[in-house]
Amino acid sequence: MATRARWRSAGWQAWLLALLWLGHGLWVMSGRWPGLGLVKALNFISGPVLKISAKWEARRVARSQTTNNLSIAEKEIAQLKARIGLFELQEAREGPRRSEAEEAIRLLGLKQQLPLETKAARVIANTRTAPFGGLVIDQGSELGLQPDQGVIAPEGVVGRIWSAGPRQASVLPLDAYNASTGVMLARSRATGVLQGTGPGKAEIRYISSQEGVQVGEAVYTSGLDRIFPRGLLIGFVSQVRPRDAELKVEVSLSAPLDRLYLVLVLPSKPPIEVSSPAAPPAGSGKGLP
Amino acid sequence: MSVRHAPAAVRPSLVCSVALVGIFFSAPWPSLQAVFHVALVLGLAPLETVPLVAGLWAVAAGWIVEGTLRMVPHPGGAAWVDLTLALTVLFFNRFWPPDRRLIWWGRLVGFTLLHTLLSFFAVALASGPHPLGRGWLWALLTSPLWAMLAWRLKPTAHPR
């Protein structure tokens, strides 16, 4: 059995050797005499393999290209993400400064519109949510501030100075329960007293039930309290309900009391009428009465 | 593991592979490449006990020589001659084994000359006229070295 296997192996080897020798010989002859057709025969035999391998190669190249493009795209995405992260960080850093700058620009515009000697101050604390809380600004009596000076923002009236220290002053906002301000309604010209009722809200007292007050009507300072001149925007009527002989008029304050950065402090006892009254900010009011 | 310590059946294959690598890397120096080439085809490949393996070593040597030269438009002639002569030397070694070094060396010198002529003829047949070069002369001059190496590696070698 082993002998036969060895013989069979040797036989195959001999055949392979003969084939190798003959193949080489024919190949060499085909170099001298191309007419032998050996090249054509080899081409014919290898044609299908070449076609398949060409397709395979094209597919491999395409896949490689796709992979390459994908990796390039992934790198670009990673770079863009890094840049976006950088921009977001920069935006987060610059955001408060920019909003403060924008508010300062608006405050400057308001100051130029008001023909009064106003003083700018920065809100450094907001304790409105605490009992008897208010706003604290970074200017005080050293700058000439004293109680009962009006405080305004570009969006509307903020309140009045309650007490003044040397370098700080506390402001009583309009929505404080103990705050009272003389107001008038834009359309009906009815005057009353605004009293705070809670965060961002106030109510007008002493308006006769005979007055025709509409929801959405603008509310301005009347100037009668000698704290604010006439015509500064306070807010808009949000609800009107009859109550005995007078109307209960609820007002939504226009000044964003919970996110104030900069305010203007009006002079003490300003004139009732100013020659060029302030206009409400664009889109937030209906104009001066 | 050095060649001397390798098993006897493996030694020829190890030396042949070294010679093949030598052929490839000595391509910039054709004379040296001719020495490696002739030594592998005539001296080392016929030491293989299996004729097919010997033939494959020789064919590989021929193709590498012509492939690295890049001078012939239709390669294959050298491989054909290498195969033919490696098998012939193997046949001679098996049926008329030389019992002396001098005979062994003389026979290899003769085969070297035959190899030169047949190579020139086969390459000319396949690719047309080509420069013969002086590689054959270097192969002849170094024949004592590689012939004695083959003698020592020969399975039935018995130094005198």
Side-chain angles (χ1 to χ4, degrees):
Chain A
M1 191 73 180
T3 311
R4 189 186 296 175
R6 198 161 47 233
W7 179 86
R8 199 182 294 161
S9 169
W12 273 111
Q13 286 181 16
W15 276 109
L16 274 176
L17 263 178
L19 202 62
L20 196 64
W21 190 86
L22 273 176
H24 273 81
L26 281 173
W27 174 252
V28 170
M29 297 300 172
S30 73
R32 180 75 171 178
W33 297 285
L36 280 176
L38 186 66
V39 177
K40 282 183 185 175
L42 286 176
N43 284 342
F44 178 75
I45 292 169
S46 61
V49 178
L50 285 176
K51 278 183 187 173
I52 292 171
S53 62
K55 279 185 184 173
W56 180 260
E57 178 66 13
R59 200 170 163 184
R60 201 182 62 80
V61 168
R63 195 172 57 185
S64 163
Q65 188 67 37
T66 306
T67 309
N68 196 23
N69 291 345
L70 194 63
S71 69
I72 290 172
E74 280 177 350
K75 278 181 188 170
E76 285 180 357
I77 287 170
Q79 285 176 352
L80 288 175
K81 275 183 180 174
R83 289 186 67 185
I84 288 171
L86 205 64
F87 286 139
E88 282 176 349
L89 190 65
Q90 200 171 349
E91 169 72 17
R93 281 180 186 162
E94 300 288 335
R97 202 178 302 171
R98 186 163 48 244
S99 62
E100 196 173 338
E102 286 170 0
E103 189 158 339
I105 290 170
R106 287 192 294 147
L107 205 66
L108 187 65
L110 178 64
K111 191 172 183 177
Q112 287 172 347
Q113 280 187 332
L114 274 178
L116 293 172
E117 189 69 27
T118 56
K119 291 165 184 169
R122 191 189 302 266
V123 177
I124 55 175
N126 190 335
T127 58
R128 285 170 51 249
T129 52
F132 302 104
L135 304 171
V136 180
I137 57 176
D138 65 345
Q139 302 293 348
S141 55
E142 285 185 357
L143 196 70
L145 302 188
Q146 55 189 11
D148 285 340
Q149 277 185 267
V151 178
I152 61 173
E155 290 86 355
V157 175
V158 174
R160 72 175 75 180
I161 292 179
W162 181 254
S163 63
R167 292 181 182 174
Q168 290 178 351
S170 66
V171 176
L172 181 69
L174 288 182
D175 59 356
Y177 292 102
N178 53 341
S180 298
T181 311
V183 297
M184 68 177 179
L185 290 157
R187 185 176 162 278
S188 60
R189 295 284 173 175
T191 58
V193 175
L194 185 85
Q195 286 193 330
T197 55
K201 292 273 188 181
E203 130 183 348
I204 304 175
R205 305 285 306 275
Y206 314 122
I207 292 200
S208 166
S209 58
Q210 302 297 319
E211 297 287 350
V213 180
Q214 292 180 349
V215 173
E217 200 169 341
V219 179
Y220 294 94
T221 53
S222 64
L224 297 177
D225 53 9
R226 301 302 309 277
I227 293 173
F228 301 100
R230 184 198 299 269
L232 296 178
L233 181 69
I234 281 188
F236 300 92
V237 175
S238 59
Q239 198 174 26
V240 181
R241 281 183 294 177
R243 185 173 58 186
D244 299 334
E246 64 181 53
L247 289 175
K248 183 183 179 184
V249 181
E250 290 187 8
V251 177
S252 288
L253 301 176
S254 58
L257 297 177
D258 49 352
R259 48 184 175 87
L260 283 171
Y261 291 112
L262 292 169
V263 292
L264 280 182
V265 181
L266 298 174
S268 187
K269 295 190 187 307
I272 296 176
E273 292 281 355
V274 290
S275 57
S276 175
S284 63
K286 294 178 178 176
L288 288 172
Chain B
M1 184 180 68
S2 67
V3 173
R4 288 178 70 85
H5 294 99
V10 185
R11 270 184 221 162
S13 299
L14 280 176
V15 180
C16 284
S17 58
V18 171
L20 203 64
V21 172
I23 291 173
F24 183 81
F25 284 106
S26 62
W29 305 279
S31 302
L32 183 63
Q33 191 183 37
V35 174
F36 276 115
H37 179 207
V38 174
L40 174 59
V41 172
L42 302 180
L44 304 174
L47 299 180
E48 293 280 0
T49 51
V50 181
L52 181 61
V53 178
L56 288 175
W57 281 121
V59 166
W63 279 106
I64 287 178
V65 164
E66 285 190 320
T68 51
L69 280 178
R70 296 175 185 275
M71 285 171 61
V72 286
H74 191 89
W80 189 36
V81 172
D82 289 350
L83 175 62
T84 308
L85 282 182
L87 292 177
T88 308
V89 175
L90 179 71
F91 180 80
F92 270 75
N93 288 350
R94 185 164 295 181
F95 291 100
W96 294 286
D99 52 353
R100 284 193 296 177
R101 288 180 185 178
L102 197 62
I103 297 174
W104 171 264
W105 175 64
R107 187 191 285 178
L108 286 183
V109 166
F111 276 118
T112 302
L113 290 171
L114 186 62
H115 179 263
T116 305
L117 292 174
L118 283 181
S119 293
F120 183 73
F121 172 74
V123 175
L125 191 67
S127 310
H130 67 284
L132 185 60
R134 291 183 182 172
W136 63 275
L137 188 60
W138 285 102
L140 270 182
L141 288 175
T142 54
S143 61
L145 291 175
W146 54 265
M148 286 310 110
L149 175 68
W151 173 266
R152 282 185 169 276
L153 292 173
K154 195 159 63 76
T156 56
H158 42 88
R160 291 184 179 182

